[in-house]
Amino acid sequence: MPSERAPIIEFDRVSFQYAASDAYALQDISLTIDEGEYVAILGLNGAGKTTLELCINGIIPNMVMGDLEGEVRVAGVDATDTPVREMAKTVGIVFDNPEFQMSQMTVAEEVALGLENLGVPYEEMRGRIADALAMVDLVGFDERMPLALSGGQQQRLAIAAVLAMRPRILVMDEPTSNLDPIGKQEVFEIAARLNRDNGMTVVMAEHEVEVMARYADRVIVLDGGRIVANGTPREVFAQRELLERIGLRPPQATELALWLRDGGAGWTDLLPVTADDAVTALETRLAGVAR
Amino acid sequence: MQGVAVPVSMVAGNSFIHRLNPIAKLVWVLAVLVISFATRNPLFLIALSIVGLGLVTMAGIWRQFSRVMLILLPVATSLIVFQSVAPAFPQPWTPIATIGPFTIYQEGIYSGLSLLARATSMTIFALVMIMTTHPSDLFTSLSRLHVPYVLNFMLAMTLQLIPVLQREIGVVMSAQKSRGMKSTGFGAVIPSFVPVFAGAIERVQQLSISLESRAFGSSGHKTSYRQVAVRPVDWVVGIAGFAFLAVCIAVFLNTGALDMSRTLIFPPALAIVLVAAAAVLFVGFIASAIWVVIRA
């Protein structure tokens, strides 16, 4: 991670309790995310992933009832005390059900909605809509009906609608949970591209461990509203006991290496987290054995 | 339940009426609405309806238009049936004919016919507007007239939710069928209401969060993506709508709203034929509706 990166999201001892619940959804979360980072948030359902993400653009506590303690600072602003519509200029958020995010008659109007709300002039709006649709490979879809698109296309549209507003942070809440494998792949690639090419900070809650191992700079594991692991994919996925205890599995490549290590194969190298890592590591070892 | 579409939606086209500014159309719809309620003269209202049908021809939307009218008209004919035997008209009533226990009154025929013509003229003009106007253009125009954005948005969302709810009812009913619940007729629809509405509430909550996240409700200046032109001809048509309204109101004020209830006399034969035709249409429609529901 280059050292010039500055923190853009800071959680300081944040706890949150939903109004209807007597348990804490988040407990004492302290966390710093730098600009340009790709952070994966892992955890079972109910671990607090969504709650954590909703704090980033102030939906919690501004739109969701409950008790929030601690401080959330996003791009230098107190997110707990800024209206969501103000935060929208910095933070774009995409949810799990694409259809529930659609409200307009045409694709272009869906993307335009946020820009209209920000008062972007018409000419600039057209350019931004074209750019956003190009970024998510929906060129030529302008006049289609959002509800008539496939799930994957709808989710890409939801991303475009957020991108057109030029946020610095893209927050995604299980964006692929309603999509087929192709749709999942498309969404992951767009997020990776935005992070890599545009330097956008990406915070993604996901269940797809393999994919997160491949793309994320950092993995944060939540359990019962607490951060139980926070580090590079390699650091986090090496903690097999911890992951097993909370019901998560490391990526298959890591599991394979852990088996080899525990089975006495004497794996002392770094643990691989992606298939490519594993292939490289195994090839090196096999070459050593052959010699 | 696949492919259920809103029966009343825009029909693509490029006629003069399609291209007309939505507000100019709205002026006419509202003018006709006021005029239709201001008079009970059936001849005048029928003439207005015929003008409306001319517009339907002009817009080239007969096919979709007649599909809607085929449903609305038989329902509306019940007005003649019920009014003829129980006029919504000050007594005394003039009997024309007696069929069994029912007596058909002169005032009833007049009243039924005028109510039917009133409903028809309003419906035709409204349908012409709805079927030739992109909803977004209408809402954009309304917001230019300073109709509050949130109100506009609510209207637009309501239109959006109809096909979504239709589809969800289909999903829920399939799920209930698969668990052996009653799958046909009206009895099957009732239990699916709760899950469908619970789902709708969840959807709306999620949507409101999503909208707020896209700066919905910002207090600052807003811009609009859809650009609706206001050409001179739109002004002419709009002002003509107001003028027509003003002239009609003036005429009504001077002539007792063109009242013909005492001068338009229906011969007994015509009255009976009219009532019978209306009854056949109405009862036939109800019977076929019941048949469809039972068979479903």
Side-chain angles (χ1 to χ4, degrees), chain A residues 57 59 63-64 84-85 88 91 93 95-96 99-106 108-110 112-122 125-126 129 143 147 161-162 165, chain B residues 134-136 139 149 153 156-157 159-160 163-164 167-168 199 202-227:
Chain A
N57 76 342
I59 290 173
M63 285 186 77
V64 176
V84 177
R85 48 184 185 265
V91 185
I93 185 160
F95 297 96
D96 53 349
E99 204 185 84
F100 285 16
Q101 299 168 67
M102 307 288 140
S103 59
Q104 300 296 298
M105 308 271 175
T106 67
E109 286 168 64
E110 191 67 55
L113 181 80
L115 304 177
E116 294 174 330
N117 293 334
L118 294 182
V120 174
Y122 176 67
M125 204 187 292
R126 287 184 51 153
I129 292 169
E143 292 305 311
L147 291 176
V162 159
M165 299 174 74
Chain B
H134 195 293
S136 308
F139 296 127
Y149 180 67
F153 192 85
M157 270 314 299
L159 285 181
Q160 288 274 83
V164 167
R167 191 171 51 193
E168 261 164 40
E202 196 202 325
R203 166 186 288 267
V204 168
Q205 278 176 338
Q206 177 67 72
L207 182 68
S208 69
I209 288 180
S210 176
L211 286 171
E212 189 94 0
S213 309
R214 285 193 276 153
F216 188 81
S218 276
S219 48
H221 170 68
K222 285 171 49 63
T223 47
S224 175
Y225 174 66
R226 284 194 89 90
Q227 305 283 308

Side-chain angles (χ1 to χ4, degrees), chain A residues 183-197:
Chain A
K184 282 182 201 282
Q185 193 55 35
E186 289 166 346
V187 168
F188 287 131
E189 271 166 18
I190 288 165
R193 200 161 67 215
L194 289 167
N195 174 252
R196 192 182 57 227
D197 301 345

